[in-house]
């Protein structure tokens, strides 16, 4: 296949930290344009809106939507209508239902829609999945605790409706969980802490299970200072499996099985190029559905107002 010409949409933190370097390292894809209201990239045609890009003579085959989830549906719909393949940052949208028309549009036009879950491409995730296929899990404990002021400074969209709050990182844990367990999981209960001045939770506790009765406890906290944790501990019939560093490290009964530098975004882009080559889509809404269920079922409590 010829080189895929990509427009990066929303030149913010993740676009600069991960998308630009990942694309630069791959021979099959290149940045052909940037669409961002405020940011510019030297040496690349830049536009403030997708309409301006599509009205120009700059040719692109695909867009990577790195904007906040609240604006992504409209951008994806516009790009698909213009005949472009679409990569969605996680979470794939601000609601579950908004994905159905996008999936239909991609199918009808023979285009690729790729809802990415970057954490599923962490190096220890597939080894953990293989271990759990061979050794029955007995319990799962997830601790996803980070300091929002360090990792998302000033990103007000994260605490607005549809921004997911602490589920913005927490959904990464759910994307891993739903990839590695042998059976589908469902939500049984949740607690959500909302700052008095914000529309999205700053902490959450989830209790989940599968049909075999596997107990799963997940705790997400956005106010963690000191050591941060993106860890998943699984007791299994074959011993204790510890998946840590967001899926980069794996130990079995304390012995290291995987300890690799993460390279999630190059793998994401290889997958995107492959999907485009086959004109296929990949949209798994399971992690977003679990978050939506937490909003449906969760006991809400109000906590201290949050300021940056
Ligand atoms: P960000 O730094 O706020 O960047 C998003 C960019 O989108 C902004 O710089 C802004 O650029 C544009 N934008 C913001 N609001 C917009 C609006 N209302 N309409 C159109 N464009 C808007 O956010 P981010 O951290 O990169 O996160 C973006 C997405 O990537 C989120 O869904 C997040 O979950 C996901 N993600 C983030 C990380 C991370 O470590 N930060 C990791 C993995 C995934 P302009 O002002 O120039 O338009």
């Amino acid at each position: 296949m010829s080189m895929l010409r990509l427009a990066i949409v929303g030149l913010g933190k993740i676009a600069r930290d991960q998308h630009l370097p990942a694309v630069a390292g791959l021979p099959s894809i290149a940045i052909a344009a940037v669409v961002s209201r405020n940011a510019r990239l030297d040496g690349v045609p830049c536009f403030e809106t997708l309409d301006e890009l599509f009205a120009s003579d700059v040719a692109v085959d695909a867009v990577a939507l790195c904007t906040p989830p609240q604006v992504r549906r409209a951008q994806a719909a516009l790009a698909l209508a213009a005949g472009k393949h679409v990569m969605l940052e996680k979470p794939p949208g601000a609601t579950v239902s908004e994905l159905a028309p996008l999936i239909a549009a991609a199918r009808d036009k023979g285009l690729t829609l790729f809802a990415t879950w970057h954490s599923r491409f962490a190096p220890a995730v597939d080894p953990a999945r293989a271990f759990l296929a061979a050794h029955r899990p007995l319990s799962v404990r997830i601790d996803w605790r980070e300091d929002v002021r360090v990792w998302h400074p000033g990103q007000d969209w994260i605490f607005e409706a549809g921004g997911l709050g602490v589920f913005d990182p927490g959904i990464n844990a759910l994307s891993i969980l739903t990839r590695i367990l042998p059976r589908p999981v469902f939500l049984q209960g949740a607690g959500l802490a909302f700052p008095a001045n914000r529309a999205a939770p700053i902490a959450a506790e989830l209790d989940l299970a599968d049909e075999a009765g596997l107990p799963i406890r997940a705790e997400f906290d956005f106010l963690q200072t000191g050591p941060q944790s993106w860890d998943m501990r699984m007791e299994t019939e074959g011993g204790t499996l510890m998946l840590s560093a967001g899926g980069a490290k794996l130990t079995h009964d304390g012995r290291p099985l995987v300890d690799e530098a993460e390279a999630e975004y190059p793998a994401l882009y290889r997958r995107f190029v492959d999907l485009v080559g086959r004109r296929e889509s990949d949209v798994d809404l399971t992690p977003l559905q679990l978050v939506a269920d937490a909003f449906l079922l969760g006991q809400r409590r109000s906590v201290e107002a949050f300021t940056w």
Side-chain angles (χ1 to χ4, degrees):
M1 201 184 74
S2 57
M3 170 91 77
L4 193 70
R5 296 165 298 185
L6 180 77
I8 295 279
V9 184
L11 192 60
K13 184 171 190 309
I14 197 62
R16 288 187 189 277
D17 287 359
Q18 296 288 351
H19 289 255
L20 296 180
V23 171
L26 294 174
S28 47
I29 185 163
I31 306 289
V34 161
V35 177
S36 216
R37 299 161 312 170
N38 301 295
R40 302 285 175 269
L41 188 64
D42 283 349
V44 175
C46 294
F47 303 86
E48 287 187 17
T49 66
L50 278 172
D51 282 325
E52 285 173 25
L53 166 63
F54 297 149
S56 78
D57 58 2
V58 173
V60 301
D61 308 299
V63 301
L65 301 184
C66 306
T67 43
Q70 295 99 326
V71 298
R72 254 192 255 124
R73 186 208 61 78
Q75 293 175 328
L78 206 59
L80 291 166
K84 313 303 176 190
H85 307 286
V86 174
M87 175 193 260
L88 300 169
E89 251 300 349
K90 50 67 44 176
T95 69
V96 181
S97 53
E98 71 191 39
L99 271 300
L102 300 179
I103 293 166
R107 187 188 54 231
D108 293 349
K109 292 193 145 241
L111 294 167
T112 292
L113 179 65
F114 181 25
T116 62
W117 296 109
H118 65 86
S119 293
R120 286 183 174 173
F121 289 79
V125 168
D126 279 346
R129 176 183 164 95
F131 187 96
L132 294 172
H135 305 89
R136 193 166 70 90
L138 303 172
S139 68
V140 179
R141 163 83 197 195
I142 298 171
D143 284 282
W144 230 252
R145 302 174 188 278
E146 65 179 52
D147 187 342
V148 67
R149 293 185 175 91
V150 170
W151 299 101
H152 305 277
Q155 291 180 352
D156 275 321
W157 59 261
I158 223 164
F159 285 116
E160 289 165 7
L164 272 63
V166 76
F167 288 105
D168 176 81
I171 204 168
N172 294 333
L174 298 175
S175 76
I176 293 174
L177 181 78
T178 50
R179 168 83 188 149
I180 64 178
L181 286 181
R183 291 188 179 82
V185 300
F186 51 89
L187 193 79
Q188 293 194 303
L192 307 178
F194 283 76
N197 58 343
R198 305 279 171 164
I202 199 158
E205 311 84 42
L206 310 185
D207 289 301
L208 307 104
D210 70 5
E211 273 300 337
L214 173 70
I216 303 162
R217 172 80 175 176
E219 298 194 358
F220 304 151
D221 186 5
F222 239 165
L223 291 175
Q224 175 79 1
T225 52
Q228 312 279 290
S229 60
W230 299 280
D231 301 333
M232 209 173 285
R233 180 187 177 96
M234 288 148 287
E235 302 301 337
T236 80
E237 285 187 342
T240 302
L241 200 62
M242 187 78 191
L243 185 62
S244 56
K249 295 184 182 178
L250 189 66
T251 62
H252 174 223
D253 287 340
R255 291 187 305 278
L257 294 182
V258 179
D259 186 356
E260 286 180 22
E262 66 91 5
E264 297 169 6
Y265 279 78
L268 273 189
Y269 272 102
R270 279 194 293 274
R271 171 90 176 127
F272 186 46
V273 169
D274 181 54
L275 286 168
V276 168
R278 291 188 281 115
R279 292 291 190 273
E280 288 176 9
S281 288
D282 176 353
V283 183
D284 176 11
L285 298 180
T286 315
L288 187 61
Q289 183 66 64
L290 290 172
V291 172
D293 285 355
F295 279 83
L296 280 173
L297 203 60
Q299 299 282 327
R300 296 177 180 227
R301 60 185 188 275
S302 183
V303 295
E304 195 179 324
F306 175 79
T307 50
W308 297 104

